[in-house]
Amino acid sequence: MLQVVLIEPEIPPNTGNIGRLCLATGAHLHLVKPLGFSLADRELKRAGLDYWKEVRVTVWESFAELQAAQPAAARYFFLTTKTRRAYWDEHFRDGDFLVFGRETKGLPEPLLAQHPERCLTI
């Protein structure tokens, strides 16, 4: 199953909705700090409905910490508007990580520059 990573998410209902989608698909949700809200946020839980407590969520202090805890062969795909390569051009494998940035700013430019071959757009 795919892994979903939200780096510094800002909007609680968006994260709740993504958590609900992860539960429905069997995906693991990874949240990278700093979070723009508390995990106890009422809006987060409302968007996740009664399912939030069932979502597989791991909270990380940094993206580097998440990466260090994964096998060296783990594949990360960075979703951005700053590429023309569409996600449907990629052949995903079980365990691949889909990495999303903040709702207002996206992923950090240095991270994208380090992995141009792994940047995808929706």
Side-chain angles (χ1 to χ4, degrees):
M1 193 51 57
L2 293 174
Q3 314 258 354
V4 176
V5 180
L6 303 181
I7 295 181
E8 301 180 10
E10 302 168 307
I11 303 173
N14 287 356
T15 301
N17 289 331
I18 292 167
R20 190 174 65 229
L21 176 66
C22 286
L23 179 63
T25 61
H28 187 145
L29 177 59
H30 301 269
L31 303 177
V32 178
K33 291 182 177 181
L35 307 181
F37 50 86
S38 162
L39 290 178
D41 189 291
R42 179 175 56 92
E43 291 181 34
L44 170 76
K45 290 184 176 183
R46 182 182 315 145
L49 299 172
D50 293 335
Y51 309 118
W52 184 253
K53 62 185 176 294
E54 304 296 327
V55 178
R56 285 181 38 210
V57 179
T58 303
V59 180
W60 302 92
E61 292 297 321
S62 68
F63 185 62
E65 180 186 39
L66 179 151
Q67 287 181 299
Q70 308 309 318
R75 297 188 332 154
Y76 301 89
F77 294 93
F78 303 91
L79 285 295
T80 178
T81 60
K82 298 173 180 148
T83 187
R84 298 184 130 196
R85 186 166 174 242
Y87 73 93
W88 58 77
D89 290 334
E90 184 56 52
H91 298 284
F92 297 106
R93 298 183 202 150
D94 191 28
D96 283 349
F97 289 80
L98 302 180
V99 183
F100 297 86
R102 292 190 292 183
E103 291 95 328
T104 58
K105 295 185 179 183
L107 290 165
E109 289 291 332
L111 185 60
L112 297 175
Q114 287 175 335
H115 307 282
E117 74 288 353
R118 295 281 188 210
C119 291
L120 301 173
T121 192
I122 294 177

